Amino acid sequence: MSDPPPPHFRSVYHLEPEDLNRVDDILQQSKDAVPSQHLDVHSRPATFSAGGPMLKQFDESHIGSRLASQAATPPRSVVGIGGKVAKPDYSDAKIVLAMVGLPARGKSYLSNKLMRYLQWLEYDVKVFNVGQLRRSRAKQRKEQSGVKEDHTHSYFSHDNLEATRLRDALAEDSLEMLIKWLKDGGNVGIHDATNSTRARRASISARVAKEKGMAVVFLESVCDDPAVIAANIALKVSSGDPDYKDTSPETAKADFIRRIKEYEAVYETVTEPHLSYLRIINVGEQATACHIHGYLQSRVAFYLMNLHLKPRSIFFSRHGESQFNVEGKIGGDSPLSERGMLYSRSLPALITDNIGNAPLTVWTSTLQRTIQTAQDLPYTKLTWKSLDELDAGVCDGMTYEEIEAAYPEDFANRDDDKFNYRYRGGESYRDVVIRLEPVIMELERQDNILIVGHQAILRCLYAYFHNLPQADLPYIKIPLHTVIKLTPKAYGCDEERYTLPIGAVDTHRPKPKVTNQPEAAKPYTGREYYAKDV
């Protein structure tokens, strides 16, 4: 027979008969105090609420049984209900991502999409576009000399030895700027150029190999879809390219097509067996990966393989006004208010009028206020746990006034740095961004999507599509009873907002001590033609 457990072991894991009797007595008292048919399923019974008399009585009589599960004493920096979350240490991530491809094949599109995604995840990313550098320096020389340089198709001919030398020098300068930026703390530098010959790629590889801790990955964008190429050429010609200022669209188009042919004459696809590279065909139609190593490189590859160019719209809507919204409480799983139910009945007409007969999928969280809001929508519905509202931990179900009264120091700390602040037992906005990454991946793969979500969740997703900084993210205004329509474009998103004439409380808390509040982004879908740093 084994030895009896020591007294400490028994106090933690063993309940004596008198303990079980005490539980029965407390449960019976609770049942007598609150008749079951009158219990509100969205509120805790008073006797077992935090600090309630029965729960307190039971806790005090079993202090010994809870000793083993007590958390360690928190550090002095963590006071009250939570603390600030440190930014992940990405200092060891040093990647040169060198683009490869003919003009009008989507290189800059992929560069900017990847930059937006990695910046949303808080990597330090920057695009170094050789074309921008060429135009910026030409502009400076024109201001000094008054002479505009000829950058028509002949400038890009491999037979033009002087122009080839100048273009190679620009590419090298751009790479040097990129490497210096990585040394100064950057994580991913994107070398946006054609890099279309084996000699150019060998030069890049040799230069990066001299830097300790840096890796180079080549990203080749291949497009053989005539419709996509034609659309890219039209975008190039019509979007204000300074190379074609004061040139008719017909002349500009003809010259740009001749520029492409100059590159085609010397283009060599990536086949070097020793290189790390990704080949993306028709922006996601096919993908090839070779020598992709480590977490960040794999993350980049997976993201790029999920992109597509098909026209689509992404709709965001918060749930209808909830009972907790009316009461000023955060979190919880309360049902819709009467006005919230009216919004849920009005939402289908707005969406169907906008989307027509096109297919649409509705995503909701697992919380009933989003499910109720979407219940009358005549589309396929999917429920995501990842779309649940930011977890307020011990403050769940409290009003902001109650939080400020109970935890004044932490209330001030959250106002000071709302993105990084994590509720005790809950989440920060940074935590929410991390758990939403699979949602972003799936959003990039899908066609038309309507997300019926929550304020914090939609703020994070909205910031991704508009490339907004983390400091502004927690204060983006996402009002109730409003549908936000985003239409992805080559270099950003178009945005429209539709507010239904159904009253609702305003749950927006402005950024403290700031005059200009971040609200809707100003959609920008144009291309940058000049380098910001030269």
Side-chain angles (χ1 to χ4, degrees):
M1 182 178 294
S2 61
D3 295 332
H8 176 71
F9 182 91
R10 180 179 300 172
S11 68
V12 175
Y13 294 100
H14 186 69
L15 284 175
E16 300 294 342
E18 59 268 23
D19 297 323
L20 296 175
N21 292 335
R22 182 182 293 273
V23 174
D24 289 339
D25 292 340
I26 293 174
L27 289 173
Q28 185 60 47
Q29 293 175 47
S30 174
K31 182 177 180 181
D32 294 341
V34 185
S36 60
Q37 63 267 30
H38 296 299
L39 279 177
D40 179 358
V41 296
H42 307 296
S43 62
R44 305 179 185 91
T47 48
F48 271 89
S49 63
M54 295 302 178
L55 186 59
K56 184 176 181 181
Q57 178 184 348
F58 184 76
D59 283 350
E60 288 177 347
S61 65
H62 288 79
I63 293 295
S65 70
R66 297 186 294 119
L67 289 176
S69 62
Q70 285 184 337
T73 301
R76 291 179 181 270
S77 60
V78 180
V79 181
I81 60 173
K84 295 178 183 178
V85 184
K87 179 181 177 179
D89 183 6
Y90 294 139
S91 58
D92 290 337
K94 303 288 180 183
I95 295 177
V96 176
L97 191 71
M99 304 301 297
V100 178
L102 293 167
R105 262 51 174 191
K107 297 186 304 300
S108 294
Y109 170 78
L110 292 178
S111 298
N112 284 279
K113 287 286 288 187
L114 183 61
M115 178 181 68
R116 190 184 314 167
Y117 165 69
L118 292 176
Q119 286 180 340
W120 185 71
L121 292 173
E122 294 190 274
Y123 288 95
D124 201 357
V125 187
K126 187 173 180 180
V127 175
F128 292 80
N129 183 286
V130 175
Q132 289 181 355
L133 184 62
R134 169 178 62 81
R135 284 181 286 266
S136 293
R137 290 188 174 175
K139 183 179 180 182
Q140 291 173 352
R141 289 191 289 268
K142 180 184 176 183
E143 290 172 350
Q144 294 169 358
S145 66
V147 178
K148 180 183 177 181
E149 297 178 5
D150 180 10
H151 286 175
T152 55
H153 70 276
S154 60
Y155 177 85
F156 300 93
S157 171
H158 197 65
D159 295 331
N160 187 335
L161 298 182
E162 176 61 16
T164 299
R165 183 189 67 78
L166 292 173
R167 289 188 288 111
D168 286 344
L170 282 168
E172 291 171 4
D173 288 352
S174 178
L175 182 61
E176 291 300 326
M177 293 163 65
L178 186 158
I179 290 173
K180 180 181 184 302
W181 177 82
L182 286 177
K183 287 181 175 179
D184 292 341
N187 301 129
V188 179
I190 302 176
H191 193 245
D192 188 2
T194 56
N195 296 323
S196 56
T197 64
R198 292 189 182 93
R200 173 72 70 80
R201 294 192 289 270
S203 174
I204 293 173
S205 296
R207 177 63 187 90
V208 176
K210 296 178 181 179
E211 302 296 334
K212 184 179 179 181
M214 289 188 191
V216 60
V217 177
F218 292 92
L219 172 57
E220 184 175 19
S221 181
V222 177
C223 181
D224 57 14
D225 186 332
V228 173
I229 296 173
N232 289 344
I233 292 174
L235 178 65
K236 175 80 171 179
V237 170
S238 64
S239 59
D241 188 335
D243 290 343
Y244 298 116
K245 186 180 180 182
D246 302 324
T247 304
S248 70
E250 294 77 14
T251 302
K253 178 181 176 181
D255 184 82
F256 190 66
I257 290 174
R258 292 184 69 180
R259 181 192 299 189
I260 293 173
K261 291 186 180 299
E262 297 290 356
Y263 277 103
E264 286 177 336
V266 296
Y267 187 84
E268 297 170 305
T269 189
V270 182
T271 56
E272 298 93 316
H274 62 284
L275 294 183
S276 296
Y277 68 87
L278 292 162
R279 181 182 295 112
I280 306 296
I281 300 177
N282 295 330
V283 189
E285 187 177 289
Q286 296 181 44
T288 302
C290 183
H291 298 305
I292 299 301
H293 305 291
Y295 176 70
L296 182 55
Q297 291 185 26
S298 299
R299 193 176 217 167
V300 167
F302 186 58
Y303 175 75
L304 292 171
M305 287 188 288
N306 279 283
L307 298 179
H308 70 80
L309 287 175
K310 291 180 288 186
R312 44 78 176 262
S313 293
I314 298 168
F315 299 88
F316 292 160
S317 172
R318 287 178 66 185
H319 53 78
E321 181 188 71
S322 71
Q323 290 184 8
F324 265 25
N325 291 149
V326 175
E327 296 167 14
K329 297 178 180 179
I330 65 173
D333 191 18
S334 66
L336 298 182
S337 68
E338 289 185 9
R339 293 188 297 191
M341 289 300 298
L342 179 59
Y343 177 71
S344 75
R345 291 191 294 269
S346 304
L347 186 59
L350 190 156
I351 298 299
T352 53
D353 286 350
N354 200 293
I355 203 73
N357 295 322
L360 176 77
T361 303
V362 179
W363 294 354
T364 73
S365 74
T366 66
L367 301 175
Q368 66 172 324
R369 55 191 183 273
T370 65
I371 295 172
Q372 285 182 322
T373 302
Q375 63 188 354
D376 294 327
L377 289 163
Y379 304 103
T380 300
K381 303 180 185 71
L382 298 176
T383 301
W384 286 69
K385 179 67 176 173
S386 295
L387 291 175
D388 283 2
E389 179 61 300
L390 185 152
D391 186 349
V394 298
C395 293
D396 191 66
M398 297 174 68
T399 66
Y400 283 113
E401 291 75 18
E402 290 170 342
I403 297 171
E404 185 174 18
Y407 311 104
E409 186 172 349
D410 283 82
F411 187 84
N413 285 342
R414 187 166 192 263
D415 274 350
D416 181 60
D417 189 357
K418 195 173 178 181
F419 181 79
N420 293 306
Y421 181 87
R422 177 187 287 159
Y423 285 107
R424 176 72 59 85
E427 293 179 298
S428 66
Y429 270 91
R430 173 176 278 129
D431 296 324
V432 172
V433 165
I434 292 170
R435 73 165 153 96
L436 285 175
E437 185 184 8
V439 176
I440 289 296
M441 287 290 187
E442 192 62 22
L443 267 177
E444 291 292 4
R445 292 183 62 245
Q446 296 292 330
D447 295 329
N448 300 308
I449 296 290
L450 164 61
I451 298 180
V452 180
H454 306 270
Q455 183 168 243
I457 301 302
L458 297 183
R459 281 170 170 166
C460 293
L461 297 176
Y462 184 94
Y464 164 77
F465 282 101
H466 280 307
N467 199 27
L468 299 179
Q470 281 85 1
D472 290 345
L473 185 157
Y475 299 100
I476 299 169
K477 195 161 188 178
I478 311 286
L480 289 166
H481 300 175
T482 298
V483 173
I484 300 172
K485 178 183 178 182
L486 300 179
T487 305
K489 299 288 185 180
Y491 298 99
C493 273
D494 283 344
E495 178 181 324
E496 301 169 71
R497 292 195 175 205
Y498 306 91
T499 300
L500 290 176
I502 301 169
V505 297
D506 184 1
T507 62
H508 182 76
R509 294 184 68 245
K511 194 171 186 177
K513 303 176 183 179
V514 173
T515 303
N516 297 320
Q517 297 293 330
E519 294 191 13
K522 293 181 180 179
Y524 180 73
T525 58
R527 179 172 182 168
E528 297 286 347
Y529 280 106
Y530 293 105
K532 295 177 182 177
D533 302 309
V534 293

